[in-house]
Amino acid sequence: MESISKEDSSRKRTLFLGCFIALLTTAFGFITRVFLVDTWSEAFDLNPAEAGRLMGIGIWPFFVAIIFFSLLIDRIGYKLAMIFAFIGHMTWGVMGYLAYQYLQAGDIDTAYGLLYWGSLVFALGNGTVEAFINPVVATMFNKEKTKWLNILHAAWPGDWSLRESSL
């Protein structure tokens, strides 16, 4: 009986660590975009409004995805939501890399389009992360929800402490 309890505890730790890493990935991706906005503004000759538009496309879909996936998560399952978030993050990585390559080749319009649409995909992935990590952790630790959700969300300000130290 005790080995089942240890096995269950190990699974919970592994799943919790996966949720923590997913949120940390979301946080680092978000702050990386914030750090790059000045570089992008210069590279694409953006005025402040245009730079804000590029940043905004990486924010509002985040909230749309949280709401959408929160409403559907029990129907589609957590695994599908996790896969969608992973694909969103990987797609952003590929599109960001390709944007840099096109920018270096002088194709500014294609590079900007890749950044813009990649940011939207990334934000959808980020919102999906929030939609699945919270119910997963709250369900696993149903007697200590607040404690474990606070520990989970310690991943988010981790990137902000790096930002503050670099200022």
Side-chain angles (χ1 to χ4, degrees):
M1 181 90 171
E2 192 170 312
S3 66
I4 294 172
S5 178
K6 285 181 182 180
E7 184 178 316
D8 185 48
S9 179
S10 176
R11 285 184 189 165
K12 281 183 178 180
R13 278 194 301 270
T14 301
L15 190 54
F16 179 82
L17 183 60
C19 289
F20 189 87
I21 290 169
L23 185 58
L24 188 62
T25 303
T26 295
F28 272 94
F30 180 83
I31 197 64
T32 299
R33 292 185 67 256
V34 171
F35 281 143
L36 288 173
V37 73
D38 290 337
T39 302
W40 293 338
S41 293
E42 187 178 314
F44 297 110
D45 193 30
L46 304 176
N47 65 41
E50 292 167 330
R53 182 172 178 250
L54 186 57
M55 288 306 297
I57 194 65
I59 296 173
W60 69 262
F62 173 79
F63 302 108
V64 170
I66 291 173
I67 293 166
F68 178 77
F69 277 101
S70 293
L71 294 172
L72 295 178
I73 196 111
D74 288 330
R75 288 191 184 148
I76 64 169
Y78 294 93
K79 182 178 181 178
L80 184 60
M82 289 178 193
I83 291 168
F84 180 84
F86 178 79
I87 290 170
H89 286 167
M90 293 303 294
T91 300
W92 160 245
V94 170
M95 291 178 85
Y97 174 77
L98 290 174
Y100 176 76
Q101 295 300 318
Y102 277 101
L103 185 62
Q104 296 302 306
D107 188 349
I108 294 173
D109 291 336
T110 302
Y112 181 84
L114 285 164
L115 280 178
Y116 185 84
W117 295 109
S119 294
L120 181 133
V121 170
F122 184 65
L124 292 172
N126 288 346
T128 306
V129 166
E130 279 290 346
F132 75 76
I133 63 171
N134 292 311
V136 165
V137 171
T139 300
M140 283 192 311
F141 303 104
N142 61 352
K143 296 190 191 296
E144 296 179 305
K145 289 178 191 176
T146 303
K147 172 187 171 183
W148 286 99
L149 286 170
N150 283 332
I151 293 169
L152 173 68
H153 283 85
W156 183 260
D159 70 73
W160 288 102
S161 64
L162 292 174
R163 180 176 181 252
E164 294 299 321
S165 67
S166 67
L167 295 177

